[in-house]
Amino acid sequence: MNDVWKEFEQNPLTHSGAHYLMTIHEIQERKGYARTTDVAKELEISFPRCPQSRKSLAKKGLIEEN
């Protein structure tokens, strides 16, 4: 059990982060770009929550911000 927990702690991506990342990818596939407002609308979350998630993913090197 401890080995599983260690692996979980080392995972750089949270469940919500994975949803955010997949949503960005899906929007980019459709539109060619993904704005924060598009992601918020798709995930049905408030706009102010998005920059927080976006910055976290960018800090981990998982997305690039323009």
Side-chain angles (χ1 to χ4, degrees):
M1 182 74 157
N2 285 337
D3 291 336
V4 172
W5 185 252
K6 287 179 186 176
E7 288 177 27
F8 178 78
E9 287 181 340
Q10 292 172 358
N11 186 351
L13 194 57
T14 63
H15 185 76
S16 60
H19 277 278
Y20 196 92
L21 203 54
M22 288 187 303
T23 301
I24 290 171
H25 177 73
E26 290 169 3
I27 293 169
Q28 283 181 326
E29 288 291 309
R30 285 194 315 261
K31 293 182 156 188
Y33 60 90
R35 298 177 305 172
T36 303
T37 54
D38 299 326
V39 176
K41 184 177 179 181
E42 187 95 9
L43 291 174
E44 298 179 355
I45 60 175
S46 66
F47 176 78
R49 246 180 97 196
C50 282
Q52 193 176 17
S53 298
R54 187 187 72 236
K55 287 178 186 178
S56 175
L57 292 173
K59 186 177 179 182
K60 293 174 183 175
L62 298 171
I63 62 170
E64 291 181 12
E65 296 183 283
N66 293 330

